[in-house]
């Protein structure tokens, strides 16, 4: 099953271009020579449709360094010291990825010389900050509606999670599995008070056609039915999350490993950054 998940990722090939030990390097973006910078780069990420830009994963290939954006979409990525890098400090041109699963994947090229960034590139100022925000477009809208949205811990009850998917522009291929490992129709209950994760096996309402879906601009719905037992979930506020992926996105496997995702562990799924709407659930 997990082999199928990673079919969309393709093979990741990291090409490191070693450069000569000179005090300056040629500007890969044109315009003569530029001197080496230092170990920090920064910038800001904006999302379409006024989404909160927090949590976008910014990852640099080659040196395998990653950070998430803050509440305002700002990020700062710091390289390890050159002495701790391969060969005492890498040199080359590397891709800097901006990753949010249901948004378009964006990458920017950055130059590294002797383990430090090269500033004053075409998109970066002399302080190593990108001139303009990096803009990500939403490709898939995900909305979760809970009915009811509140239960009592001492009594439990049956709840339905209605998951609505819609492509925001062009059609999108989605892998929406009926099961993961030995868990049928998994649904995640993320306790926002304690950060605990509870994975529930559910029943899918209605007849399902396929796990591999082409989502268009018309809204697609899948309904999960969960019989929550007495005290199955501690008292608290929850975000309810379905288990799905976008297919055919060329996400480097090293990026997923760096942010802590492991295809063999269902619990690490929530490390993948998404933007969803709804899914609020309360246990009293």
């Amino acid at each position: 099953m997990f082999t199928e998940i990673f079919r969309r990722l393709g093979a990741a090939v990291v090409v490191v271009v070693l450069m000569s030990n000179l005090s300056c390097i040629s500007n890969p973006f044109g315009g003569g020579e530029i001197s080496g910078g230092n170990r920090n780069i920064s910038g800001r990420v904006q999302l379409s449709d006024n989404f909160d830009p927090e949590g976008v994963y910014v990852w640099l290939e080659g040196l395998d360094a990653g950070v998430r954006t803050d509440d305002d979409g700002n990020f700062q990525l710091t390289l390890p010291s050159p002495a701790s890098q391969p060969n005492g400090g890498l040199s080359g041109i590397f891709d800097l990825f901006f990753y949010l699963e249901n948004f378009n994947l964006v990458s920017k090229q950055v130059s590294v010389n002797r383990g430090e960034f090269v500033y004053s590139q075409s998109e970066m100022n002399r302080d190593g900050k990108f001139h303009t925000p990096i803009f990500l477009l939403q490709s898939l809208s995900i909305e979760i509606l809970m009915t009811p949205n509140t239960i009592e811990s001492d009594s439990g009850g049956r709840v339905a999670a209605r998951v609505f998917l819609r492509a925001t522009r062009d059609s999108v291929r989605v892998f929406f599995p009926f099961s993961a490992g030995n868990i049928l129709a998994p649904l995640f209950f993320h306790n926002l008070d304690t950060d605990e994760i509870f994975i529930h096996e559910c029943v899918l309402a209605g007849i399902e056609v396929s796990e591999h879906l082409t989502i268009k601009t018309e809204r697609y719905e899948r309904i999960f039915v969960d019989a929550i037992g007495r005290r199955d979930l501690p008292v608290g506020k929850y975000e309810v999350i379905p288990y799905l992926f976008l297919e055919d996105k060329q996400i480097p496997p090293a990026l997923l490993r760096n942010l802590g995702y492991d295809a063999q562990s269902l619990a690490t799924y929530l490390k993948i950054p998404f933007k969803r709407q709804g899914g609020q659930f309360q246990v009293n």
Side-chain angles (χ1 to χ4, degrees), residues 194-253:
T194 65
D195 209 33
E196 292 177 285
I197 298 169
F198 301 86
I199 304 174
H200 280 211
E201 184 171 75
C202 301
V203 174
L204 294 175
I207 299 175
E208 298 297 327
V209 177
S210 175
E211 294 183 321
H212 300 272
L213 306 169
T214 299
I215 303 298
K216 301 181 180 180
T217 53
E218 298 82 12
R219 195 163 68 166
Y220 169 88
E221 180 181 4
R222 181 172 287 184
I223 302 174
F224 295 75
V225 179
D226 185 13
I228 300 176
R230 293 179 65 248
R231 299 178 182 174
D232 271 359
L233 295 173
V235 171
K237 295 180 180 179
Y238 289 81
E239 179 188 12
V240 179
I241 299 170
Y243 181 65
L244 60 91
F245 297 88
L246 273 69
E247 294 189 312
D248 303 323
K249 286 189 70 172
Q250 298 301 309
I251 312 299

Side-chain angles (χ1 to χ4, degrees):
M1 205 290 295
F2 291 103
T3 301
E4 182 64 34
I5 293 176
F6 280 101
R7 180 188 60 78
R8 67 186 174 94
L9 297 176
V13 179
V14 178
V15 179
V16 178
V17 182
L18 296 179
M19 306 183 72
S20 59
N21 294 325
L22 301 176
S23 60
C24 296
I25 65 172
S26 296
N27 185 348
F29 305 99
E33 294 186 336
I34 48 181
S35 61
N38 64 31
R39 291 164 47 212
N40 297 320
I41 56 173
S42 62
R44 185 161 62 93
V45 175
Q46 289 183 338
L47 304 181
S48 64
D49 305 310
N50 295 317
F51 273 97
D52 172 10
E54 181 183 9
V56 176
Y57 199 63
V58 184
W59 179 78
L60 180 65
E61 69 164 354
L63 292 170
D64 200 23
V67 295
R68 293 181 186 260
T69 55
D70 66 13
D71 294 353
D72 299 315
N74 297 312
F75 71 91
Q76 178 173 293
L77 188 144
T78 303
L79 296 179
S81 65
S84 65
Q85 297 177 26
N87 301 317
L90 289 180
S91 296
I93 300 172
F94 301 91
D95 283 324
L96 182 69
F97 288 91
F98 299 85
Y99 169 55
L100 194 55
E101 175 71 4
N102 57 323
F103 282 66
N104 66 313
L105 181 67
V106 171
S107 64
K108 301 288 185 179
Q109 286 192 326
V110 296
S111 293
V112 177
N113 184 37
R114 296 180 179 181
E116 295 186 337
F117 288 112
V118 178
Y119 291 168
S120 299
Q121 298 174 7
S122 60
E123 296 190 63
M124 193 180 297
N125 66 20
R126 292 183 177 181
D127 297 320
K129 184 174 182 178
F130 282 90
H131 292 295
T132 59
I134 289 83
F135 189 72
L136 276 60
L137 287 168
Q138 186 184 34
S139 55
L140 179 71
S141 168
I142 305 171
E143 183 178 0
I144 303 98
L145 177 64
M146 299 298 297
T147 308
N149 60 10
T150 303
I151 65 168
E152 300 298 320
S153 177
D154 288 340
S155 58
R158 186 179 297 272
V159 300
R162 301 174 64 190
V163 179
F164 301 98
L165 306 180
R166 182 179 61 83
T168 55
R169 290 167 180 82
D170 301 323
S171 62
V172 179
R173 287 286 295 172
V174 174
F175 177 51
F176 202 169
F178 299 149
S179 65
N182 59 355
I183 299 178
L184 297 175
L187 201 63
F188 295 82
F189 287 78
H190 179 203
N191 189 313
L192 300 177
D193 299 321
T194 65
D195 209 33
E196 292 177 285
I197 298 169
F198 301 86
I199 304 174
H200 280 211
E201 184 171 75
C202 301
V203 174
L204 294 175
I207 299 175
E208 298 297 327
V209 177
S210 175
E211 294 183 321
H212 300 272
L213 306 169
T214 299
I215 303 298
K216 301 181 180 180
T217 53
E218 298 82 12
R219 195 163 68 166
Y220 169 88
E221 180 181 4
R222 181 172 287 184
I223 302 174
F224 295 75
V225 179
D226 185 13
I228 300 176
R230 293 179 65 248
R231 299 178 182 174
D232 271 359
L233 295 173
V235 171
K237 295 180 180 179
Y238 289 81
E239 179 188 12
V240 179
I241 299 170
Y243 181 65
L244 60 91
F245 297 88
L246 273 69
E247 294 189 312
D248 303 323
K249 286 189 70 172
Q250 298 301 309
I251 312 299
L255 184 158
L256 296 175
R257 289 193 299 270
N258 183 269
L259 63 80
Y261 174 69
D262 178 2
Q264 304 303 317
S265 173
L266 192 62
T268 64
Y269 173 73
L270 296 192
K271 293 183 181 293
I272 295 180
F274 277 88
K275 289 296 177 183
R276 311 174 187 87
Q277 294 172 292
Q280 287 77 33
F281 186 65
Q282 177 78 37
V283 178
N284 296 323

